[in-house]
Amino acid sequence: MKRIGILGGTFDPVHYGHIALAEDAVREANLDEVVMIPARIQPFKQDREYASGEDRFNMIALAAGKNDHVTVSRYELEQEGVSYTYLTLRHMQEFFGEDTRLFFITGTDSFLKIDTWRNAEELLTKYSYIIGTRPGYRQDEYREALQRITDTYGTEVISMHKTELDISATQIRELVAAGKPIDELVPPEVNRYIEEHGLYRV
């Protein structure tokens, strides 16, 4: 049975932290592949600092280009309205087939609230989870949530100690707007794309 990880986010822009998370998941959960899925941003949420869905997709494709285990999907970008996680996972399960086990990759904060998400029972009974944790962070809450969810739904959950990289997309956008270098935060191909397309400039 194939093991596929699903990693969603705005990725505005994709950076080394995102790539490290995908690579950690491949290694720690023995995944065949991680699919990165940029979220659709509603038009009313856009302003000049945000990149279009196409730009964000292209940057992920560039960042993932040299990695055999990381790919990118346009699925959420092509949907109308809100792309709920259960709809994305349904689509991905159909795409990869029933002989594939899907693992949704997320962080501690999201996992603590996951049983309140839309169609939570479907999410927690049909799919597996890889949770990027870090030592000491909300440890007791996480342990309680993990116990509750596995007892209630029988969910397969892999707790992954992710590589800690102190990088945020907001920080990157602010540095670009200020004309400062981002070489150490994003792959060179992404840096070049941002420059060539004039992204995140004031």
Side-chain angles (χ1 to χ4, degrees):
M1 179 174 276
K2 285 184 76 175
R3 295 163 68 86
I4 303 291
I6 305 297
L7 177 58
T10 309
F11 303 119
D12 192 30
V14 65
H15 54 66
Y16 280 129
H18 298 132
I19 300 301
L21 180 59
E23 290 174 342
D24 286 347
V26 168
R27 184 174 59 254
E28 292 206 27
N30 195 28
L31 301 181
D32 296 287
E33 179 183 333
V34 169
V35 183
M36 297 178 71
I37 306 179
R40 183 173 183 267
I41 293 180
Q42 300 287 356
F44 62 82
K45 289 186 179 178
Q46 288 191 358
D47 58 35
R48 289 177 59 188
E49 74 174 342
Y50 288 96
S52 69
E54 192 65 21
D55 282 329
R56 291 180 290 119
F57 176 90
N58 290 339
M59 286 188 282
I60 299 170
L62 288 168
K66 296 174 182 174
N67 193 316
D68 294 337
H69 299 290
V70 182
T71 59
V72 57
S73 167
R74 294 181 186 273
Y75 173 72
E76 290 194 359
L77 297 177
E78 294 173 348
Q79 305 312 299
E80 293 297 326
V82 178
S83 295
Y84 289 107
T85 298
Y86 78 92
L87 293 174
T88 297
L89 293 181
R90 273 186 196 174
H91 168 79
M92 288 294 157
Q93 189 72 72
E94 190 176 317
F95 177 80
F96 283 106
E98 292 304 317
D99 60 341
T100 295
R101 188 69 176 160
L102 293 186
F103 291 79
F104 186 68
I105 303 166
T106 190
T108 301
D109 291 336
S110 293
F111 184 72
L112 292 177
K113 299 178 286 189
I114 202 165
D115 49 354
T116 68
W117 289 13
R118 181 75 64 96
N119 280 26
E121 186 172 355
E122 177 182 340
L123 284 171
L124 292 165
T125 54
K126 288 194 170 182
Y127 309 105
S128 300
Y129 292 82
I130 298 170
I131 313 303
T133 64
R134 59 182 190 265
Y137 181 71
R138 304 185 76 172
Q139 210 158 347
D140 292 339
E141 291 174 83
Y142 176 66
R143 198 177 297 113
E144 287 171 13
L146 184 61
Q147 188 74 53
R148 182 182 73 251
I149 286 168
T150 52
D151 285 351
T152 305
Y153 300 101
T155 314
E156 178 185 6
V157 180
I158 296 172
S159 301
M160 174 181 74
H161 297 300
K162 61 184 181 179
T163 303
E164 278 303 307
L165 295 175
D166 189 19
I167 305 173
S168 79
T170 302
Q171 169 197 15
I172 292 168
R173 294 195 300 270
E174 288 172 350
L175 287 170
V176 174
K180 295 181 179 177
I182 56 169
D183 312 63
E184 296 181 2
L185 307 177
V186 301
E189 298 86 355
V190 173
N191 193 4
R192 193 156 52 245
Y193 188 96
I194 290 170
E195 288 179 3
E196 289 175 356
H197 291 79
L199 301 182
Y200 312 123
R201 294 179 187 165
V202 176

